[in-house]
Structure formats: structure tokens, C-alpha cells
Amino acid sequence: MPHPSHSRFVDVRGLRYHLRLWGEPQHGSRTLVMLHGWMDVSASFQFVVDALGPGWQVIAPDWRGYGLTERALADCYWFPDYLADLERVIDGLTPDPVVLVGHSMGGNVALLYAGIRPGRVRAVVNLEGFGLRETHASQAPGRYAQWLDELLAGSSLRDYASPEDVAARLRRNNPRLTAERAEFLARHWALEQADGRWAVAGEPAHRIVNPTLYRLDEVLACWQRIACPVLWVRAEATDVMRFVAENPAAAVQEVERRRAVIPDVEDLVIGDAGHMVHHDQPERVARAIVDFLERRVDAAGR
């Protein structure tokens, strides 16, 4: 049986924000704030929570425009808003430093925040959050033009006839996903509409390109200021290295270079897993989190 969760809605910068909570309030490293990735939802962490077992509290927001959180009154989304939203969420939870567990986009948010507000983060577990390809100023005119074109055209997402169709889509995206897990995720990743069809629980505007370039030097400057221990997790069969570099070997080398700028970091490769490592190997992810926190946070009295 899945570990039951409940919902809390809070005001975050004028938006009705949804927090999914598992377990009872805990102290210190026994409370985890889990941050989902792009086009995903907070319920995505259900299988890791189940593997953690009792004695943990997990709090996972749906980012703005995802899941049950209100959509922003804008025609596109800006990455820095996730940092500000996270800070308001943490403000409402505790004055103490928190443990952040982030997947993909959520991992990138967690690492940036830990460098920007080093006193507010106790530890970071980064699941497949490697950043994007380095960009150059010469790309700016084309990027702005693409953004303007996409704003004019708008964006959309297909809908589905049933949650079974949604589950089938999820399994096509990730063949390692079991039928049981896909069935669970389908009813959170998509929401039933008034006409009976199921729409993805993500604002289509998230698909519009970011008009500003990915400034790697700024990102690494933030990562260099991280004061807490970081666990850097990569899936053996990840398919997102192409977003870092075209050549697979060059991508691995670049990811390792980026990881090395973090002052206190451990790396872990999880086998038989793709980018959705928390779906493919949730038990191993949970064990890695517990082991890391016991060794690096609890033992150090952080």
C-alpha cells in the first residue's frame, strides 16, 4: 500500500500553492523537502517515500503551473521564480536549515538555492540535475526571436481519453516504469476535465523557450558557495546528457567538471535506471538518501 499523503494549500507570492505531505512532523534531517522536475508533479516521489519507511516527513510542492498549484497569470514562466517560490515555502515550514532532494529541474533549483542561501540548507540530494549546455552571447538574438515567435504561436499539450491512456503514455516514455506505478502516476500527472478527458497537470506555457540564455558561469558561481554536503546522483542509463553536450563522452566529462566545483560533494551512479531514477530504482534512491544523511548530517550534528 502506498504511504498516504495529504494536501496543504498555502499562499506563495500571490499563488495558491499545493504542498503534498507524507508522515508526521520530524526534526532535522528526518524532514525532507522534495522538488520535482519539469513537466512532473509532487506525487512523483511517492515510490521513494514508500521505500523510506516510517519516521520521515516529506514535503513536496507542486511548482507554479504544475499539479494542483495555481497557474501564473502570464504567458510564459521564468526560472528564477522557482527560487523565490522555494524560499517562501521554506519560510512557511521552519526557520531551521532544510534538506532538499531535487530531481532534474528540481535538482538544479536545489543546488542554486543552496549556493544563494547557504545558511538555509542542511544538505542537498541532487537526482539528475546537471544543468544545460553552456550558451554564448551570440545566441541571444536568435533566442529572443524564438521566444517571441513561440509566444505568438502559443503552446498546447494533448489530452487523453482515460487514465489508462495516460499510463500507457508514461510507459512509452519510460519502459522501466511498471504498470502499477504508471497507473498510480497517471491520476496525478493528468487531471480529469469537465468533458471526461484527462489533461496533463502542467501549464502548456512551460514549453515556451526561456528568452534568457543559460549562463553557466553564473550557475557555477552559485554552486561554489554551497556550504552543505551534496549527494550527486546520476542514473547509469540517463538520457539527458544530450542537454549538456552533443557528444556523450564530452557530456560525461562536462558533468564531472561541473560537479567538481561544489566544495563538499559525493557522487553515486545508480544502475538499471534512466533519467526518472526515482521511478526506476526508488528503493536504491531511498537507501542512498538515508545513508548519506546518517553519515554526513546526523553524524556531524548538523
Side-chain angles (χ1 to χ4, degrees):
M1 285 290 293
H3 196 61
S5 67
H6 66 277
S7 294
R8 179 191 302 170
F9 290 90
V10 296
D11 179 81
V12 174
R13 303 174 61 220
L15 293 180
R16 186 173 185 260
Y17 238 81
H18 174 241
L19 307 181
R20 186 173 301 279
L21 295 91
W22 293 267
E24 299 300 323
Q26 302 289 333
H27 296 290
S29 65
R30 304 292 288 187
T31 291
L32 309 176
V33 179
M34 292 190 169
L35 309 175
H36 71 77
W38 185 74
M39 299 310 293
D40 204 356
V41 292
S42 58
S44 188
F45 291 109
Q46 179 69 56
F47 316 128
V48 174
V49 172
D50 292 340
L52 284 171
W56 294 84
Q57 182 187 41
V58 174
I59 303 160
D62 285 330
W63 291 121
R64 56 175 52 215
Y66 289 111
L68 301 179
T69 290
E70 190 175 10
R71 276 53 176 152
L73 298 177
D75 54 4
C76 63
Y77 285 80
W78 296 82
F79 190 87
D81 278 322
Y82 300 125
L83 297 167
D85 290 355
L86 175 60
E87 178 148 282
R88 296 300 184 274
V89 168
I90 293 173
D91 285 344
L93 296 176
T94 176
D96 300 323
V98 296
V99 175
L100 299 177
V101 179
H103 172 252
S104 195
M105 184 186 80
N108 284 286
V109 175
L111 289 176
L112 280 172
Y113 187 78
I116 296 164
R117 299 287 202 203
R120 302 206 67 180
V121 183
R122 187 188 303 265
V124 174
V125 178
N126 173 36
L127 307 172
E128 292 267 304
F130 307 137
L132 301 174
R133 291 187 193 181
E134 186 173 8
T135 57
H136 305 281
S138 61
Q139 297 170 252
R143 176 66 66 83
Y144 281 119
Q146 180 184 356
W147 176 63
L148 291 173
D149 290 342
E150 291 186 7
L151 285 179
L152 184 63
S155 184
S156 63
L157 293 166
R158 63 160 295 187
D159 61 3
Y160 300 86
S162 67
E164 290 75 22
D165 285 349
V166 178
R169 156 72 188 278
L170 292 172
R171 296 194 74 191
R172 285 195 299 273
N173 288 355
N174 179 13
R176 289 182 174 84
L177 187 64
T178 67
E180 182 181 11
R181 289 173 180 168
E183 181 181 350
F184 171 85
L185 290 170
R187 295 178 179 274
H188 296 279
W189 192 75
L191 301 173
E192 188 173 14
Q193 305 302 293
D195 62 1
R197 293 188 66 81
W198 289 71
V200 175
E203 175 92 57
H206 286 296
R207 298 177 62 88
I208 292 176
V209 69
N210 196 313
T212 57
L213 300 175
Y214 184 75
R215 300 184 176 97
L216 181 61
D217 56 344
E218 295 181 6
V219 170
L220 298 185
C222 293
W223 289 9
Q224 287 173 333
R225 295 184 70 247
I226 297 174
C228 67
V230 173
L231 178 62
W232 178 282
V233 179
R234 176 165 61 89
E236 185 179 45
T238 183
D239 63 348
V240 298
M241 303 295 273
R242 68 186 186 278
F243 296 117
V244 176
E246 288 186 17
N247 181 282
V252 171
Q253 186 176 17
E254 173 62 15
V255 165
E256 293 303 305
R257 183 182 75 85
R258 296 180 184 189
R259 178 181 58 81
V261 309
I262 300 172
D264 184 359
V265 60
E266 298 181 15
D267 67 298
L268 174 66
V269 177
I270 294 184
D272 192 23
H275 180 57
M276 304 301 282
V277 60
H278 54 313
H279 296 169
D280 299 345
Q281 296 290 347
E283 296 83 6
R284 293 182 64 185
V285 170
R287 285 200 303 270
I289 293 170
V290 173
D291 174 69
F292 175 67
L293 295 179
E294 287 180 347
R295 288 187 297 102
R296 301 304 317 281
V297 179
D298 296 344
R302 291 177 180 266

